[in-house]
Amino acid sequence: MEALVDGVTERWFTATFRRDNPEEVERIAEQIRATEPDGYAACCAAIRDMDLRPTLSAIKADVLILIGDSDPSTPPQDGELIADNIAGARKEIVHAA
């Protein structure tokens, strides 16, 4: 898992956040290191294989979509797509990864 720490923390946290909050980033890095590799791989496969876009319109609850302007995993255009496909969804764009 050590080999994944830098890539994961770079996706989850902006460069500014990593610079200004090294203790918090290290806390998450330790959690990544403690993760079972088989479990991590299975979760990655599940995320890779799921496509929930066709079911978005079935959501009837009040929804707030938080869109990270620096999120490489769910880029802003994907957050917009989610918000556009849930009736009445509100969205906020935040400076985050």
Side-chain angles (χ1 to χ4, degrees):
M1 294 303 297
E2 181 65 38
L4 299 177
V5 169
D6 287 344
V8 172
T9 56
E10 287 172 7
R11 277 191 304 280
W12 287 1
F13 304 112
T14 64
T16 301
F17 186 91
R18 291 192 314 272
R19 183 194 69 228
D20 294 347
N21 302 278
E23 300 85 11
E24 185 64 17
V25 175
E26 182 56 29
R27 184 179 72 79
I28 299 302
E30 285 300 318
Q31 291 178 4
I32 296 166
R33 290 181 189 105
T35 300
E36 288 294 325
D38 288 341
Y40 184 85
C43 287
C44 290
I47 292 169
R48 176 198 67 210
D49 296 343
M50 73 177 169
D51 181 359
L52 300 175
R53 290 174 296 181
T55 64
L56 290 172
S57 63
I59 298 172
K60 303 301 180 204
D62 291 335
V63 175
L64 171 61
I65 308 298
L66 291 176
I67 299 171
D69 67 354
S70 300
D71 188 343
S73 297
T74 307
Q77 64 268 22
D78 290 347
E80 295 283 349
L81 182 143
I82 293 167
D84 291 346
N85 284 280
I86 300 173
R90 294 181 306 123
K91 66 182 175 188
E92 293 290 331
I93 299 173
V94 296
H95 180 61

